[in-house]
Amino acid sequence: MDIKELYKLYQQHPLITTDSRNCPEGSIFLALKGASFDGNKFAVQALEKGCAYAIVDDATICQQPSPNTQHPSPSTQQLILVDNCLQTFKDLAREHRRQFDIPVIGITGTNGKTTTKELVRAVLSECYNVMATEGNFNNDVGVPKTLFRLSDEHDIAVVEMGASHPGDIKTLVETAEPNCGLITNVGRAHLQGFGSFEGVCRTKGELYDFLIAHDRPLFVNRDNENLMRMIRQKLTAKSQQLTANSQHPDIYFYGQSDSEDILIRCEVVSCAPFLKFRWREQDHDANYVSEWMEVQTHLIGAYNLDNMLAAITVGYVNNVPFEQINHALSNYIPTNNRSQMTETATNHLIVDAYNANPTSMQAAIENFKLMEVSPKMAILGQMGELGDVSQEEHQKIIDMLVTASFDKVWLVGEEFEKAVAQFSVLSSQFSVFHDVEAVKAAIAQEQPQSHYILIKGSNSVKLFQLPELL
């Protein structure tokens, strides 16, 4: 059964489940595999629970008797054997995506991709019915699940794509087939998987590769040297392949500089502590087409300006009026442990505890330094997946903190412990904890009060458990 035939079957049973505990009547069970599970083993059980069909990639499943002696074995016609269930999932999702002639915006990057996705969703929702990635469904399973949410009611889709290994983005763009897209930035993250910073650039750049190859528009931060280098290299390669009937894709630049080719220009007004900025449109001769428009946001950090700029530019190109763009950005309130300001009964918390890498950690510390508040306390968790450069990168963070002059610094995790062990002297405001449980005990003992507290670390450190204690 080829993908088109399989998709016709899906149209008759338009619900795919990958969880044998959730088998709605008439749905299709797809047997995915993971490090500690094999969905093939639950295919027959899924049929018995009410699934109309089960897609498997283990031929032996088709010969096994039903484990339920009270009911006869499901018909072998209900078991569909494929070479690889995950690839079939992606191919089916792509076939589903092709049923909808709507813009699909692809977003990736090392930092800020989820915040940018949410801001783009907010801006576009002012005028359109938007389908966007939910939660962290941005990998090779999450992206297909996202695409299957597309329906006739949607006008536009925003698909976030994450990566931790070479080739990840190539796989995802070939599944989602975005009409346009943007890379927020490239930074030193998942180095253990990518091997190097250049490996990060190559993988994130696979979004550019797809869009340029198909002459589809790109949104690019003009001030980001890494992105501009990638664009120049890829357009040069494209120029060498151009024929009389082909052309370069449209590129919509945004940024804070005075470059003539910038479409949307922006600058920070203040960060006290929430970001306030102003923006305006300019033409290709650097003439300003609109007056400055000021936006007060609910996001912490000047580093979020680039995310705002991306959302403005996407909205502008998709004909969202200025007033509605500003309304969306000024009313967006983060709720996902990213750049989130929380005021408790005793402290002011800056919660950015979903993830951390050297680039985002440095940006958070630098922004916290610039905030005119006191006293300042930083609770920072270790950064994961850095491989051989882990100790070096954690040492750089410690060096940065030594000069930051925060009133208290709590470092959490084995990687910080190792780095501190190599550091000769740390001042009294530094404390090091093995894990989040040790931090909880210290909070109960010291009970910090009236502090501005930055909480940031990789999700695995579980610093997201701390706000309720502070």
Side-chain angles (χ1 to χ4, degrees):
M1 186 178 294
D2 65 22
I3 286 299
K4 291 193 179 296
E5 291 178 303
L6 198 52
Y7 186 73
K8 288 180 181 178
L9 198 66
Y10 166 77
Q11 289 176 309
Q12 299 168 21
H13 303 274
L15 178 60
I16 292 180
T17 178
T18 60
D19 186 347
S20 62
R21 297 166 298 183
N22 178 25
C23 295
E25 189 74 27
S27 61
I28 297 175
F29 175 74
L30 192 138
L32 295 179
K33 296 176 184 175
S36 58
F37 67 90
D38 181 355
N40 287 284
K41 297 178 179 179
F42 303 97
V44 173
Q45 179 183 342
L47 292 173
E48 292 173 344
K49 287 184 175 180
C51 287
Y53 293 91
I55 300 174
V56 299
D57 53 15
D58 182 349
T60 63
I61 302 299
C62 301
Q63 288 95 43
Q64 289 182 3
S66 170
N68 190 334
T69 57
Q70 296 181 353
H71 300 280
S73 299
S75 167
T76 55
Q77 293 180 343
Q78 293 178 270
L79 291 166
I80 301 172
L81 182 64
V82 298
D83 291 333
N84 183 292
C85 280
L86 178 57
Q87 188 59 51
T88 297
F89 195 31
K90 297 173 187 176
D91 293 344
L92 269 176
R94 180 176 60 238
E95 189 67 25
H96 183 66
R97 177 258 181 274
R98 288 176 176 175
Q99 309 306 307
F100 303 93
D101 186 20
I102 64 173
V104 175
I105 303 167
I107 297 177
T108 190
T110 300
N111 301 308
K113 57 183 173 290
T114 298
T115 298
T116 299
K117 177 258 298 181
E118 289 299 322
L119 292 170
V120 169
R121 183 219 295 257
V123 167
L124 294 176
S125 293
E126 293 282 324
C127 295
Y128 305 102
N129 190 329
V130 181
M131 191 285 291
T133 301
E134 299 289 353
N136 61 350
F137 280 22
N138 63 7
N139 59 13
D140 56 357
V141 174
V143 167
K145 286 184 176 181
T146 297
L147 294 174
F148 275 117
R149 289 175 41 229
L150 274 172
S151 70
D152 291 332
E153 66 184 25
H154 294 121
D155 304 311
I156 196 164
V158 184
V159 180
E160 178 184 336
M161 292 174 283
S164 55
H165 297 88
D168 282 353
I169 297 301
K170 182 177 186 293
T171 297
L172 298 180
V173 295
E174 290 175 350
T175 301
E177 296 185 334
N179 303 88
C180 59
L182 66 92
I183 302 175
T184 57
N185 51 56
V186 287
R188 295 175 66 79
H190 300 295
L191 296 181
Q192 189 171 9
F194 290 120
S196 66
F197 175 66
E198 283 304 315
V200 177
C201 294
R202 282 193 297 271
T203 301
K204 301 297 184 183
E206 289 164 357
L207 174 59
Y208 285 166
D209 292 336
F210 179 87
L211 295 173
I212 291 172
H214 293 82
D215 296 323
R216 297 178 180 180
L218 294 79
F219 301 92
V220 180
N221 184 344
R222 185 68 173 78
D223 302 331
N224 189 301
E225 294 181 3
N226 291 318
L227 297 182
M228 291 304 298
R229 173 174 56 85
M230 291 162 60
I231 284 290
R232 292 188 188 100
Q233 291 173 347
K234 294 178 186 301
L235 289 181
T236 298
K238 172 77 171 181
S239 296
Q240 296 170 353
Q241 303 168 4
L242 285 177
T243 66
N245 296 321
S246 60
Q247 59 186 4
H248 282 313
D250 292 328
I251 301 180
Y252 300 106
F253 289 112
Y254 55 87
Q256 302 178 55
S257 66
D258 293 324
S259 300
E260 293 183 358
D261 52 2
I262 282 180
L263 175 63
I264 301 296
R265 183 168 175 243
C266 200
E267 60 184 40
V268 172
V269 174
S270 65
C271 287
F274 295 110
L275 171 65
K276 180 190 287 187
F277 69 95
R278 61 179 190 167
W279 68 278
R280 60 182 174 184
E281 171 197 4
Q282 69 178 31
D283 61 21
H284 289 295
D285 295 319
N287 296 314
Y288 294 116
V289 179
S290 66
E291 298 298 321
W292 284 111
M293 291 167 282
E294 197 166 281
V295 179
Q296 174 66 65
T297 79
H298 293 276
L299 284 176
I300 298 293
Y303 52 83
N304 274 302
L305 184 61
D306 289 342
N307 304 331
M308 292 282 177
L309 265 170
I312 291 169
T313 310
V314 172
Y316 173 87
V317 171
N318 285 280
N319 301 311
V320 180
F322 292 168
E323 296 80 5
Q324 288 172 267
I325 291 175
N326 294 337
H327 176 266
L329 298 181
S330 62
N331 284 278
Y332 172 74
I333 299 176
T335 58
N336 51 12
N337 286 326
R338 292 175 169 92
S339 302
Q340 194 172 337
M341 183 77 168
T342 303
E343 186 170 344
T344 70
T346 52
N347 295 289
H348 304 271
L349 309 182
I350 301 162
V351 184
D352 198 355
Y354 183 80
N355 218 335
N357 56 60
T359 306
S360 66
M361 187 72 86
Q362 291 167 13
I365 293 170
E366 188 62 38
N367 183 75
F368 197 38
K369 282 173 57 179
L370 296 174
M371 287 176 58
E372 297 180 0
V373 295
S374 182
K376 294 180 182 179
M377 177 179 183
I379 305 178
L380 306 179
Q382 69 181 19
M383 304 170 290
E385 300 182 48
L386 294 179
D388 294 339
V389 300
S390 182
Q391 185 171 319
E392 174 188 347
E393 294 297 339
H394 283 85
Q395 184 63 64
K396 289 178 182 178
I397 297 301
I398 293 174
D399 294 341
M400 189 176 185
L401 290 165
V402 167
T403 62
S405 300
F406 296 152
D407 298 278
K408 290 183 180 180
V409 176
W410 290 5
L411 303 175
V412 189
E414 294 182 12
E415 295 302 314
F416 272 127
E417 287 181 322
K418 294 176 186 176
V420 168
Q422 301 298 316
F423 202 88
S424 56
V425 178
L426 278 179
S427 55
S428 58
Q429 74 262 35
F430 280 78
S431 300
V432 185
F433 301 88
H434 183 70
D435 55 26
V436 71
E437 295 303 320
V439 179
K440 291 178 181 178
I443 291 173
Q445 181 177 354
E446 297 194 22
Q447 298 183 359
Q449 293 188 13
S450 301
H451 279 70
Y452 284 81
I453 305 175
L454 169 64
I455 303 174
K456 185 169 180 63
S458 288
N459 197 45
S460 59
V461 190
K462 301 181 180 180
L463 297 189
F464 55 81
Q465 298 178 2
L466 300 183
E468 64 183 23
L469 306 177
L470 292 164

